[in-house]
């Protein structure tokens, strides 16, 4: 199977990456974000068929994926984390669907979490199809995704400029989802395309993660959403310490935001509002508290 390249962004998770890397099929590009635990060398020894790219510094997950997409020479690209892998046959099915639906730019797969294979709450919310199934799409419309479970049309990804590298890591998916929809591409949830996620019970610094997520929510809103949405996001951020720090971080990017602000087309904004009215756990772009709780439990 050569139509899909798997791009894995990693940093300092050598053991986890080596456990899952052998489960990928087809071409694999591992983009290392400046690991200092020997990850690039270990991957090169254990999986000589994989292409290893050493960035030499931590550019963020979005930037690493951008590099991988540019190096891929297949029409479709699947992302995986260093603690996730695609189920057998999943990428063949994804390629078939993308070939059959030429206006679909992104497929969000079903995520199964942990050794028990629990259904991720984000996948369950996507399956409820709050936006319906548009004509010509292979599944329910979505306006968000989990980066460890997405297959994209490389043409669509490059058309909108990929991930905004200024956002770094955590919540960077939201802006890309909005931009793909604004460019007229379908984003669809397909439950038969399955990814497995095997997170450790204790991972990265959770406080730093929440701060980065708050920053990126604010920046994404300021880049694409109406002023009222931005103000509500800022008010929500003020309610807890990580949010307040994220708000300060976002404020430092005001000049960048003003240069790049481009409000969404009315239909895309209306769809986002429909999802937001759905309440907690509705998949706009990133996992909510329920998804984090399942991840932590595994």
């Amino acid at each position: 199977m050569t139509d899909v390249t798997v791009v894995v962004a990693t940093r300092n998770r050598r053991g986890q990456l080596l456990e899952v890397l052998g489960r990928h099929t087809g071409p694999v590009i591992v983009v290392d974000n400046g690991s200092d635990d020997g990850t690039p060398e270990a991957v090169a020894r254990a999986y000589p068929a994989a292409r290893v790219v050493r960035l030499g510094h931590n550019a963020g997950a979005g930037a690493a994926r951008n590099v991988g997409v540019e190096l891929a020479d297949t029409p479709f690209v699947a992302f995986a984390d260093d603690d996730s892998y695609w189920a057998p046959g999943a990428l063949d099915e994804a390629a078939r669907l993308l070939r059959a639906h030429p206006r679909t730019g992104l497929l969000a797969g079903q995520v199964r979490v942990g050794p028990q294979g629990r259904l991720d709450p984000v996948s369950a919310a996507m399956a409820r199809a709050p936006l319906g199934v548009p004509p010509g799409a292979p599944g329910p419309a979505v306006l968000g995704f989990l980066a460890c479970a997405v297959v994209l049309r490389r043409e669509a990804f490059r058309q909108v400029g990929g991930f905004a590298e200024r956002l770094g890591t955590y919540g960077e998916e939201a802006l890309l989802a909005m931009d793909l929809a604004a460019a007229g591409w379908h984003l669809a949830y397909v439950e038969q395309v399955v990814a497995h996620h095997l997170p450790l019970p204790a991972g990265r610094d959770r406080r730093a993660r929440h701060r980065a997520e708050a920053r990126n929510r604010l920046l994404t809103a300021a880049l694409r959403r109406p002023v009222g949405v931005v103000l509500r996001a800022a008010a929500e951020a003020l309610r807890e310490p990580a949010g307040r720090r994220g708000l300060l971080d976002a404020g430092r990017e005001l000049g960048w935001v003003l240069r790049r602000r481009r409000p969404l087309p009315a239909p895309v904004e209306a769809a986002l509002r429909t999802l937001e009215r759905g309440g907690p756990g509705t998949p706009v772009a990133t996992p909510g508290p329920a998804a984090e709780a399942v991840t932590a439990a595994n």
Side-chain angles (χ1 to χ4, degrees):
M1 195 266 303
T2 59
D3 280 351
V4 185
T5 297
V6 179
V7 172
V8 184
T10 188
R11 175 173 165 78
N12 286 340
R13 283 187 170 174
R14 180 181 61 183
Q16 282 180 287
L17 179 60
L18 292 175
E19 287 182 13
V20 299
L21 205 54
R23 297 175 180 263
H24 297 305
T25 59
V28 177
I29 298 174
V30 176
V31 186
D32 183 78
N33 257 322
S35 293
D36 56 15
D37 66 348
T39 292
E41 296 79 10
V43 170
R45 286 193 302 269
Y47 298 100
R51 181 170 184 176
V52 180
V53 181
R54 298 167 172 85
L55 296 186
H57 65 287
N58 187 6
R65 296 187 196 108
N66 287 350
V67 170
V69 172
E70 285 302 309
L71 293 174
D73 57 7
T74 54
F76 314 125
V77 174
F79 294 136
D81 287 347
D82 43 23
D83 57 2
S84 75
Y85 64 93
W86 291 93
L91 298 184
D92 289 312
E93 176 66 5
R96 184 190 71 79
L97 290 170
L98 287 168
R99 287 193 298 265
H101 299 85
R103 288 309 303 163
T104 297
L106 179 150
L107 299 179
Q110 181 188 116
V111 181
R112 291 286 175 172
V113 181
Q116 302 85 359
R118 298 177 183 175
L119 181 65
D120 190 293
V122 174
S123 297
M126 288 180 174
R128 291 195 288 271
L131 297 178
V133 180
V142 296
L143 272 174
F145 59 90
L146 301 177
C148 70
V150 66
V151 186
L152 303 103
R153 190 179 301 275
R154 187 167 176 266
E155 170 197 356
F157 183 91
R158 298 185 73 201
Q159 177 189 341
V160 301
F163 289 102
E165 297 185 3
R166 199 75 162 252
L167 298 182
T169 303
Y170 301 129
E172 71 278 7
E173 301 97 332
L175 185 61
L176 177 58
M178 293 177 193
D179 286 349
L180 286 168
W185 294 99
H186 290 311
L187 290 74
Y189 172 69
V190 284
E191 63 180 9
Q192 66 268 38
V193 175
V194 176
H196 292 273
H197 187 203
L198 304 172
L200 291 174
R204 311 289 191 188
D205 183 335
R206 292 180 65 84
R207 288 177 296 182
R209 173 174 180 159
H210 291 163
R211 176 176 178 170
E213 288 173 339
R215 169 190 180 269
N216 288 343
R217 276 195 300 269
L218 287 159
L219 289 176
T220 299
L223 286 163
R224 298 289 183 266
R225 308 294 303 278
V227 173
V229 175
V230 180
L231 293 176
R232 287 195 294 275
E236 182 178 342
L238 289 170
R239 295 174 186 167
E240 47 96 18
R244 290 192 288 273
R245 290 190 289 270
L247 179 58
L248 290 173
D249 294 340
R252 299 187 183 99
E253 304 290 347
L254 181 59
W256 175 71
V257 167
L258 292 176
R259 291 191 300 272
R260 294 178 175 267
R261 178 169 166 78
R262 187 173 68 248
L264 294 169
V268 179
E269 177 61 32
L272 282 171
R273 290 179 181 271
T274 296
L275 293 175
E276 289 165 348
R277 287 195 296 269
T282 301
V284 176
T286 55
E292 289 188 5
V294 170
T295 297
N298 289 277

